[in-house]
Amino acid sequence: MSLKNFFDFNLQTLKQFLTTDLNIEEKKTSMRAKQLWQAVYKKGLSEFNHLTNLPIELRGELSSNISLEKPKIANTQKSSDGTIKWLIQLLDGNKVECVFIPEKTRGTLCISSQVGCTLNCRFCHTGTQRLVKNLNFSEIVNQVMIAKEQLNDWQEQKIITNIVLMGMGEPFYNYDNVKMAVEILKDKDGLNYGSKKITVSTAGIADKIPQAAREIRTYLALSLHAPTDEIRELIMPINKKFKIKDLIEQCKYYAKTVNEKITLEYVMLRGINDSKECAKQLTKIMAQFPCKVNLIEFNPWPGVNYMPTERKEMESFSKIIQDAGYVSTIRRSRGQDILGACGQLRTESQKRKFN
Ligand code: SAH
């Protein structure tokens, strides 16, 4: 029989496996499943033999039926600002990146949902890598596990306090795996991240936003990046399919259902979307649902044609929004020197062609 990988289970399928494949008495499966779940997700268990509170035969059974193998780190880069970028090699050989951003009062881990991306946003480096595959939920969760291992952040999450799905890929084009991964991240017996510690960022797959409001229920960030369909379409081809008007409706619903503000992300591209007029138009959108805007410094990458907006200009753009009564913050760029900042992630993985 081939080994099952522990990370491909959720709590329910783990229980099933313990009953049907390992013949554990039914009245004990819940307890055993919980013990294993806690050992792996809270303490970073790497071998069943270390579980000295389990009968020795059971440890043996577990080791011969379930593997605890995780993807491996293929490369680590540290930025001068403390940001760390890990290149992770998945068990199937594909590579994804994930980034840890330490700040004074918190630590954010930015994880990926796909290898490559289909969206082709013109300013985004990942957009130049074609979609290779959707990550399985275990591959999404394992980015967190690997980062925790590297930072020795077991038991309480003291180091990685927040998780953002803002790495490579579009989370809502891999909806089911993202939903399952978020469930595992939230599980109280496991990683125990609260809904308010997780942010899912979308380029605006409008038809998935209501479903996410009902099922995923984390913070939502919307990559808006432009106040009109004309400008948005120039920089984000997805806007041909989902218009700003639809996004506003779906964000209204999300904010109401989850009872939280939506974060609008707005990357500032010199001469494209950074005029005073744009700022005023943006406030008209912001008037329609509870939200705040996060202005993002554009991070250049090799071969890109856009330029960042000057800091002074960003500040006056921000002030127009604040003067209209809304929250506007400027996201400082982190990890630029290691291509670890927003929109800079890309790996050399390619879809294999079969002839
Ligand atoms: N596909 C999702 C998740 C990716 S999040 C989404 O679009 O929201 C990555 C964030 O970084 C998005 O807001 C994206 O638009 C932004 N981004 C992409 N390229 C960037 C760049 N070069 N500089 C700054 N931000 C960028």
Side-chain angles (χ1 to χ4, degrees):
M1 200 176 69
S2 66
L3 281 185
K4 289 285 267 184
N5 187 296
F6 186 90
F7 299 99
D8 290 330
F9 289 118
N10 61 22
L11 204 47
Q12 199 193 347
T13 55
L14 177 62
K15 279 184 206 163
Q16 255 163 28
F17 187 80
L18 297 181
T19 324
T20 53
D21 292 69
L22 298 196
N23 302 318
I24 294 185
E25 285 171 76
E26 215 159 333
K27 64 175 199 282
K28 285 198 176 159
T29 47
S30 283
M31 175 194 68
R32 292 295 184 217
K34 202 161 155 175
Q35 274 176 322
L36 292 175
W37 199 262
Q38 287 180 342
V40 171
Y41 287 111
K42 280 203 186 300
K43 300 182 195 151
L45 181 79
S46 58
E47 272 184 47
F48 290 112
N49 266 330
H50 296 165
L51 281 175
T52 45
N53 55 341
L54 292 193
I56 193 152
E57 311 81 62
L58 179 56
R59 283 184 252 159
E61 279 274 286
L62 288 166
S63 315
S64 41
N65 288 283
I66 304 178
S67 140
L68 285 166
E69 190 182 9
K70 289 200 281 287
K72 305 247 170 331
I73 294 181
N75 194 21
T76 303
Q77 282 173 281
K78 288 206 173 107
S79 160
S80 53
D81 68 16
T83 300
I84 307 174
K85 181 169 84 169
W86 292 290
L87 176 67
I88 293 176
Q89 176 156 359
L90 305 172
L91 298 181
D92 68 7
N94 281 309
K95 291 181 180 146
V96 279
E97 292 184 316
C98 96
V99 182
F100 174 65
I101 308 139
E103 289 166 280
K104 276 206 194 84
T105 54
R106 62 186 201 166
T108 304
L109 187 71
C110 175
I111 60 177
S112 297
S113 57
Q114 297 182 313
V115 180
C117 193
T118 54
L119 295 174
N120 277 313
C121 301
R122 304 283 178 240
F123 47 82
C124 179
H125 200 196
T126 311
T128 65
Q129 180 182 9
R130 293 182 56 187
L131 179 73
V132 179
K133 69 163 204 164
N134 277 335
L135 294 184
N136 195 317
F137 69 86
S138 61
E139 294 167 331
I140 300 175
V141 171
N142 265 330
Q143 295 170 58
V144 179
M145 295 298 282
I146 288 170
K148 275 179 156 301
E149 200 167 74
Q150 291 298 305
L151 301 167
N152 196 10
D153 187 28
W154 299 115
Q155 304 278 10
E156 300 299 303
Q157 311 99 1
K158 294 210 172 63
I159 303 176
I160 301 172
T161 57
N162 295 65
I163 296 177
V164 296
L165 275 108
M166 292 190 187
M168 302 166 69
E170 169 49 48
F172 289 167
Y173 276 158
N174 185 13
Y175 185 89
D176 291 340
N177 282 303
V178 166
K179 178 182 156 199
M180 188 88 96
V182 169
E183 268 165 31
I184 293 176
L185 295 178
K186 284 186 185 175
D187 195 313
K188 295 226 166 23
D189 287 321
L191 290 162
N192 194 23
Y193 284 97
S195 299
K196 304 290 155 70
K197 298 291 178 186
I198 306 173
T199 303
V200 175
S201 178
T202 179
I205 313 306
D207 54 353
K208 284 288 182 209
I209 294 176
Q211 197 181 347
R214 293 187 294 269
E215 298 177 343
I216 298 186
R217 307 184 68 85
T218 58
Y219 279 127
L220 182 72
L222 171 71
S223 294
L224 185 65
H225 303 321
T228 64
D229 283 324
E230 293 70 49
I231 303 177
R232 198 163 190 266
E233 219 155 285
L234 278 180
I235 56 177
M236 297 179 74
I238 186 70
N239 201 75
K240 294 199 175 82
K241 195 157 173 203
F242 301 113
K243 305 288 178 215
I244 292 179
K245 186 164 73 56
D246 304 325
L247 297 178
I248 293 172
E249 284 314 305
Q250 311 303 7
C251 283
K252 267 187 203 167
Y253 178 84
Y254 197 100
K256 195 173 81 195
T257 309
V258 177
N259 198 19
E260 276 301 338
K261 281 185 182 162
I262 309 289
T263 301
L264 301 177
E265 296 170 278
Y266 198 103
V267 60
M268 306 230 28
L269 306 170
R270 191 188 298 180
I272 307 276
N273 63 357
D274 61 352
S275 66
K276 289 200 169 64
E277 182 59 23
C278 284
K280 283 184 200 141
Q281 286 165 329
L282 181 57
T283 61
K284 301 231 161 71
I285 295 178
M286 295 184 77
Q288 300 181 56
F289 56 93
C291 61
K292 57 185 179 186
V293 71
N294 203 341
L295 302 175
I296 308 175
E297 261 177 88
F298 170 64
N299 298 304
W301 36 270
V304 74
N305 280 325
Y306 297 108
M307 304 269 282
T309 299
E310 304 269 356
R311 187 76 195 190
K312 258 196 1 252
E313 302 285 320
M314 275 181 97
E315 278 159 13
S316 40
F317 192 98
S318 187
K319 188 153 186 310
I320 294 175
I321 294 163
Q322 289 168 350
D323 288 348
Y326 305 108
V327 178
S328 166
T329 49
I330 297 182
R331 186 190 294 171
R332 223 163 24 105
S333 175
R334 299 286 303 267
Q336 250 199 42
D337 53 344
I338 52 167
L339 285 182
C342 299
Q344 292 187 315
L345 307 185
R346 185 185 198 279
T347 65
E348 83 277 16
S349 290
Q350 285 180 9
K351 200 165 198 149
R352 252 178 272 151
K353 292 198 179 72
F354 298 97
N355 302 315

